[in-house]
Amino acid sequence: MKQVRRGIFLIAAVAIFAMPLYAFSQSVTVTSTKFNDVSAEHPFIKGITYLKGKGLVKGYGDGTFQPDSSVSRAEFITMVMASVNTNPQGSNCFKDVKDEWFAKFVCQAKTQKLISGYNDGTFKPNNNINFAEASVILAKANKLSLEALKAGEPWYKPATVKFAAQKGIPVTIDYMDKKISRGETAEMIYRIKAKIKTKPTKTFEALTAPLPKISSCGELKEKVAAFQYTQNYGRDIMYKMALPMMSPTTTGASQDTAAEETAAPSESENAAEGGEGKSDDYSSTNVQVEGVDEADVIKNDGEFIYVISKNSVRIVKAFPPEQMAQVAKLVLSDKSFTPSDMYVAGNKLVVLGSTYDGTERAYGYGYYGGSKTELFVVDMTDKANLKEERSVKFDGNEISSRRIGKYVYVVVNNSPVYSTLEKGDTGIGVVPTYLDSLNDTAKPVCGCADIRFMPRYEEPNMLYVAGINIEDSTEAISNQTIMGSGDTVYSSVDNMYIATTQYDTPAVDKFESFAPFYRGNSSTEKTVVFQFALNAGKVEYKAQGSVKGHLLNQFAMDENGETFRLATTIGEVWDSVKPSTNNIFVLNKNDLKVTLGSVQDIAPGEKIYSVRFIGNRAYMVTFKKVDPFFVIDLTDSANPKILGALKIPGYSDYLHPYDENHIIGFGKDAVDPANVEEEWPGRDFDFAWYQGIKIALFDVTDPTNPKMMFKEMIGDRGTESEVLNNHKALLFDKKRNLFALPVTVAEIKDKTSKDQYTGDTYGTTVFQGAYVYTLDLVNGFQLKGKITHYEDPSVFAKQGYYWYGDNNEIKRIVSIGDYLYTISLGKIKAVLRDTMVEKKALPLEVDEEPVEPIYVE
């Protein structure tokens, strides 16, 4: 268990207090506060009004109380002593406490042995105080009866336990070393002195657990109300106060540092073994982990190709190609639904997407609507008579999803509507809901007390994972919810990992709550990972861990045996004061808090562009001016090490295994910018201009001496492929040593003229379609053919530009039997793979853009 040290305190704040002393009563009637920065919606208005009503605080000279500023030691001791002592006495009791406005309160506290100061004889009155220290001082000052401290227990436990029993800990305090605010100080004094027993409170266990649970709907309600105030009411005022006060944090004496199933069958394995009109030789979506399917806009099952076409799904009988025809157009029952991606599993089609709820809700804030994630399960037994078997609508936006066998797991992030809870504290309006077509009404995804929350997290998002059986529509949905957020998802067959980046920004003197909006420096940047067990549709939270830096994408995470590996970048390449660095961390899969080993400070001044974990190795590409391709050995989890590195121009955005000793890199070439020096006088030229697409084959047979065996260049600057940012766009067929990718090619007409060409010159689009290659270890890359859906290739020259998202833009290439199929929104074309001769092209009717619903107050 992490313990907070006995010393105190972080940043300075100066207060102006005038404190006539009056006796406290046991109750208080809340009247309108005269502090101009404390609205009626402030979560601590009762406590602030209580102290003001007793004449204990007068505030600042400008009429503000600044409730969200961190409280200084001097302020805190003054407020506490004023609440328990009617005649404080003393001065000159510390080297830095003479006869200031707070001196008599501080000296009285020292006399009563509530404080002792630092070893150098100072009190440091302008430093901050954290909750652990504050709870002990408050408990002693109010003469609360504390349990004896047991051996091995943290020094603050008795006071925290007693405060929790007294309902004295505001729910905004999430961890022991949190620097408390002026408003929280007022609230704690109010709860103790007025003997408030009705408000939710935190417990010692909740404050010290790595990912504690919400204790009740009441606590959840107050947490969301506090978030609401910070975001909707106090931000403009506090922003103005924060700007002139921003300064680096100075660290005081007590700053502490924070802390057996088989693989599911693939699409190919789910297919029927041949049969009339169906091939058992077909491609499936390029995924990261074998046995873990990923949703995509195009799917195929060896006979049919499924295409998301704006607001519908087209089902095309594709094999054999001479019979190619559209057999169904699926428009789902929710007319506001926009499909985004899908799964095909046997005779089940699972379509995911978004919809919008514009329903009026009577929660005191008028009309509101919210984004919804919706999932449909469609029975395709009869393609001419598609049946919606089930639909589930979730509050929030889908982050990602995975399919493992007959279960689809959906990850959703939701920002709750700021509202009061309904009678009965059911959590509706705050806890995300889902509407299952098997039920008539929406239900919370979980109970309030089932929600875990991330300490130090400053936004009220709800992150949850839902497991849905796509074969049995009667099976209940399993959910797990965290008050937090996630943005990057990795999944093995047994575990799902959801990561998010946090910045523990040093608090701002006048506005601690505003700090999350300022990106922290590299020393505060960390990736937090949540681990969920996946077991036959059941989702169960298992663990949380963190490492320094931020992730690039899902390929920066990997589970292998009993370990979980991550690759991160710390900082930014443009930061010349503290250049970026890169790292590999190996964690214990069964306890993500345990770091088994690491390789850190790789390629200073560069950032990760691609990474791939394969078995006991990691392959990583960093870039700023050249492309270092690193081979990292992870055989010894406690001692991972760089075996070799290769530096070449350009970089790889995506790494794909060719075999156990060869890796394909898809990325961009790069050129030195020295030839444009006259155009950029005085510029730092420690960078490179990216150019056209570069595909490279790396030989890692000798990991200490990686080599680039072959490379292939496509076009000039402006050439793009979806493969560079979406691995699912790649068709890779190792059995036939073949791969294909969609590409938009740009070319520069005259590279010999300096007036026509410099490193930052973009080419003109000349082609959009698919490039098909063969690849072997003798001949390297051989362009087998090009396929386009444009009837007139000169269309780009005529219009002078290329519009991404055009209906003829090839999005995917799939293979069925002896044929390659290229798919755009407007066409499917089949070519014989060996000869690249076109067999048939099927035009597709393109949906009109869906009309956005209009909601009127």
Side-chain angles (χ1 to χ4, degrees):
M1 179 183 298
K2 188 185 83 170
Q3 296 192 11
V4 182
R5 299 174 189 165
R6 274 188 183 273
I8 314 183
F9 322 108
L10 292 175
I11 42 184
V14 178
I16 303 171
F17 272 79
M19 293 192 169
L21 306 178
Y22 297 93
F24 281 83
S25 63
Q26 298 304 308
S27 63
V28 61
T29 300
V30 177
T31 59
S32 176
T33 177
K34 294 183 180 180
F35 292 129
N36 56 33
D37 61 343
V38 183
S39 72
E41 291 78 17
H42 195 283
F44 303 131
I45 185 173
K46 289 186 178 182
I48 295 168
T49 304
Y50 185 84
L51 267 63
K52 187 177 185 295
K54 299 305 176 185
L56 295 173
V57 292
K58 185 176 180 180
Y60 289 82
D62 61 358
T64 65
F65 181 70
Q66 298 179 17
D68 299 284
S69 297
S70 298
V71 69
S72 71
R73 295 188 67 185
E75 291 174 334
F76 179 80
I77 292 297
T78 300
M79 295 171 75
V80 171
M81 295 307 295
S83 71
V84 298
N85 196 309
T86 58
N87 188 28
Q89 301 289 327
S91 61
N92 294 294
C93 53
F94 292 101
K95 289 180 180 179
D96 52 357
V97 177
K98 303 300 182 184
D99 56 0
E100 299 89 347
W101 58 270
F102 53 79
K104 59 183 179 180
F105 299 100
V106 171
C107 293
Q108 185 70 35
K110 182 180 181 183
T111 299
Q112 294 183 4
K113 297 183 179 181
L114 301 180
I115 58 175
S116 59
Y118 291 92
N119 292 333
D120 62 359
T122 63
F123 174 66
K124 297 183 177 25
N126 291 328
N127 281 13
N128 293 137
I129 187 169
N130 64 37
F131 172 72
E133 299 154 344
S135 66
V136 173
I137 293 172
L138 272 166
K140 290 181 176 180
N142 285 278
K143 296 181 171 54
L144 300 181
S145 177
L146 305 182
E147 297 289 335
L149 183 65
K150 298 178 182 178
E153 289 183 338
W155 54 271
Y156 48 78
K157 181 177 180 180
T160 305
V161 170
K162 177 59 71 171
F163 253 80
Q166 298 289 320
K167 305 290 185 180
I169 307 175
V171 297
T172 55
I173 294 174
D174 286 344
Y175 47 99
M176 296 303 302
D177 57 351
K178 181 184 189 295
K179 295 181 293 294
I180 63 174
S181 68
R182 291 164 52 80
E184 287 167 334
T185 301
E187 177 73 8
M188 287 191 290
I189 294 174
Y190 160 62
R191 290 189 181 200
I192 293 300
K193 303 306 295 186
K195 300 188 184 303
I196 302 300
K197 301 293 186 181
T198 57
K199 286 198 168 188
T201 188
K202 287 295 181 65
T203 64
F204 173 79
E205 290 72 21
L207 292 174
T208 54
L211 200 64
K213 284 187 175 182
I214 297 290
S215 62
S216 65
C217 285
E219 178 183 343
L220 179 63
K221 174 181 174 181
E222 290 211 358
K223 285 183 74 70
V224 173
F227 284 134
Q228 175 189 357
Y229 172 80
T230 301
Q231 296 190 349
N232 289 2
Y233 292 94
R235 191 163 287 173
D236 290 341
I237 295 174
M238 290 185 257
Y239 175 74
K240 294 174 183 178
M241 295 193 302
L243 288 180
M245 297 298 297
M246 291 184 190
S247 60
T249 299
T250 56
T251 303
S254 72
Q255 188 173 12
D256 201 20
T257 55
E260 169 168 267
E261 286 187 14
T262 58
S266 66
E267 288 181 8
S268 298
E269 293 167 336
N270 282 334
E273 290 297 325
E276 184 178 356
K278 184 179 180 70
S279 172
D280 59 2
D281 178 11
Y282 62 94
S283 63
S284 58
T285 301
N286 180 31
V287 299
Q288 181 179 6
V289 177
E290 184 178 357
V292 181
D293 194 12
E294 300 180 35
D296 198 13
V297 295
I298 308 290
K299 290 286 186 177
N300 98 87
D301 61 10
E303 181 179 5
F304 296 93
I305 291 177
Y306 306 82
V307 184
I308 288 182
S309 178
K310 297 184 179 177
N311 61 340
S312 67
V313 179
R314 305 301 176 91
I315 303 178
V316 174
K317 179 173 174 56
F319 188 84
E322 58 269 17
Q323 298 178 16
M324 187 160 55
Q326 179 174 306
V327 297
K329 175 183 177 181
L330 174 66
V331 178
L332 294 153
S333 57
D334 184 346
K335 300 307 178 186
S336 66
F337 174 75
T338 302
S340 58
D341 47 27
M342 60 187 163
Y343 295 96
V344 172
N347 65 350
K348 304 296 182 183
L349 173 66
V350 181
V351 186
L352 296 102
S354 61
T355 185
Y356 189 84
D357 179 9
T359 309
E360 178 185 0
R361 304 289 173 86
Y363 288 127
Y365 296 101
Y367 292 82
Y368 76 84
S371 179
K372 305 278 187 179
T373 294
E374 196 162 9
L375 176 148
F376 289 89
V377 180
V378 179
D379 182 2
M380 302 188 298
T381 303
D382 181 0
K383 295 291 192 299
N385 185 25
L386 302 175
K387 296 180 180 179
E388 287 184 18
E389 284 191 339
R390 190 178 197 177
S391 66
V392 188
K393 187 184 295 186
F394 299 96
D395 288 344
N397 299 303
E398 178 195 350
I399 299 172
S400 191
S401 68
R402 297 291 190 273
R403 180 182 70 87
I404 302 172
K406 62 182 179 180
Y407 293 97
V408 168
Y409 299 91
V410 185
V411 184
V412 180
N413 202 30
N414 179 62
S415 295
V417 176
Y418 297 122
S419 64
T420 58
L421 295 175
E422 289 185 333
K423 291 181 179 180
D425 279 345
T426 62
I428 297 292
V430 179
V431 178
T433 65
Y434 71 100
L435 178 61
D436 191 335
S437 59
L438 302 181
N439 303 310
D440 295 329
T441 58
K443 295 181 178 181
V445 295
C446 63
C448 297
D450 296 320
I451 297 175
R452 297 178 182 271
F453 65 91
M454 296 167 55
R456 296 174 172 82
Y457 186 69
E458 301 292 343
E459 300 288 338
N461 290 331
M462 301 283 188
L463 170 72
Y464 57 100
V465 184
I468 302 154
N469 188 330
I470 62 174
E471 291 186 4
D472 182 0
S473 294
T474 65
E475 184 174 317
I477 295 172
S478 171
N479 294 292
Q480 282 281 286
T481 306
I482 291 174
M483 181 173 274
S485 71
D487 44 51
T488 308
V489 176
Y490 166 87
S491 184
S492 67
V493 171
D494 299 315
N495 296 292
M496 178 175 283
Y497 301 83
I498 304 174
T500 186
T501 304
Q502 288 186 2
Y503 298 92
D504 292 336
T505 309
V508 178
D509 183 18
K510 287 287 185 178
F511 179 26
E512 183 177 2
S513 297
F514 197 79
F517 296 92
Y518 289 86
R519 185 165 179 166
N521 59 42
S522 58
S523 64
T524 69
E525 180 183 52
K526 66 181 179 181
T527 293
V528 178
V529 182
F530 303 106
Q531 181 190 40
F532 297 88
L534 308 178
N535 182 16
K538 299 295 185 291
V539 182
E540 182 181 358
Y541 167 78
K542 286 181 68 176
Q544 172 201 3
S546 65
V547 295
K548 295 185 295 184
H550 62 270
L551 300 176
L552 173 67
N553 54 31
Q554 69 186 64
F555 289 94
M557 295 185 283
D558 178 76
E559 181 187 281
N560 185 61
E562 297 303 305
T563 66
F564 182 66
R565 296 92 68 92
L566 303 98
T568 68
T569 297
I570 299 175
E572 302 293 343
V573 294
W574 45 257
D575 188 343
S576 58
V577 177
K578 195 167 186 179
S580 58
T581 60
N582 306 284
N583 317 273
I584 296 284
F585 296 98
V586 182
L587 308 184
N588 183 338
K589 183 187 75 173
N590 301 309
D591 186 353
L592 296 182
K593 296 183 187 63
V594 177
T595 299
L596 302 174
S598 65
V599 183
Q600 302 189 44
D601 299 328
I602 304 170
E606 301 182 1
K607 70 175 183 178
I608 295 174
Y609 269 66
S610 59
V611 63
R612 193 72 186 245
F613 293 92
I614 303 174
N616 289 323
R617 289 184 190 170
Y619 303 96
M620 186 170 72
V621 171
T622 63
F623 180 76
K624 184 176 183 182
K625 189 171 184 178
V626 295
D627 167 359
F629 174 82
F630 293 96
V631 181
I632 301 168
D633 181 29
L634 303 172
T635 305
D636 182 356
S637 299
N639 187 33
K641 56 187 176 182
I642 298 174
L643 296 178
L646 171 68
K647 291 190 176 183
I648 54 177
Y651 57 86
S652 297
D653 287 295
Y654 172 62
L655 297 174
H656 189 89
Y658 175 77
D659 61 26
E660 62 180 5
N661 290 316
H662 298 87
I663 307 295
I664 311 173
F666 297 86
K668 293 287 185 73
D669 194 20
V671 298
D672 190 278
N675 60 335
V676 294
E677 187 171 0
E678 292 179 3
E679 298 180 30
W680 301 88
R683 183 166 180 167
D684 177 9
F685 289 100
D686 188 22
F687 74 103
W689 295 115
Y690 68 82
Q691 301 296 293
I693 289 177
K694 181 179 76 173
I695 309 174
L697 182 68
F698 298 102
D699 181 358
V700 293
T701 305
D702 179 359
T704 65
N705 185 29
K707 298 176 181 179
M708 185 173 68
M709 290 183 65
F710 305 104
K711 72 174 181 179
E712 173 74 3
M713 308 300 301
I714 305 176
D716 298 309
R717 187 174 172 89
T719 300
E720 297 292 342
S721 172
E722 189 178 349
V723 168
L724 303 186
N725 53 58
N726 183 358
H727 59 284
K728 290 177 276 190
L730 176 68
L731 168 67
F732 180 76
D733 185 344
K734 180 61 177 66
K735 182 172 64 175
R736 297 179 175 91
N737 284 330
L738 179 143
F739 70 88
L741 68 161
V743 63
T744 301
V745 182
E747 292 181 351
I748 296 169
K749 295 180 179 178
D750 185 4
K751 290 187 180 182
T752 62
S753 169
K754 188 174 180 180
D755 294 334
Q756 296 267 337
Y757 171 68
T758 57
D760 61 337
T761 302
Y762 282 89
T764 301
T765 301
V766 297
F767 177 85
Q768 199 293 320
Y771 273 37
V772 181
Y773 286 92
T774 59
L775 171 63
D776 61 57
L777 302 182
V778 175
N779 301 303
F781 300 103
Q782 299 291 318
L783 180 61
K784 188 176 182 65
K786 303 177 185 179
I787 306 170
T788 184
H789 285 190
Y790 289 89
E791 300 296 335
D792 180 7
S794 65
V795 63
F796 305 112
K798 290 178 181 178
Q799 66 187 17
Y801 61 89
Y802 173 70
W803 184 267
Y804 284 93
D806 186 285
N807 292 331
N808 290 309
E809 177 189 346
I810 291 178
K811 305 292 292 183
R812 297 288 185 272
I813 307 99
V814 303
S815 70
I816 305 177
D818 295 329
Y819 297 91
L820 296 177
Y821 295 78
T822 53
I823 302 105
S824 65
L825 291 182
K827 187 182 296 183
I828 297 180
K829 185 181 286 189
V831 301
L832 192 62
R833 182 178 51 246
D834 289 342
T835 63
M836 299 299 293
V837 173
E838 181 179 322
K839 183 70 173 180
K840 184 174 181 178
L842 175 69
L844 297 176
E845 179 185 354
V846 179
D847 294 334
E848 295 182 1
E849 291 290 347
V851 178
E852 291 292 330
I854 299 174
Y855 300 101
V856 181
E857 291 191 14

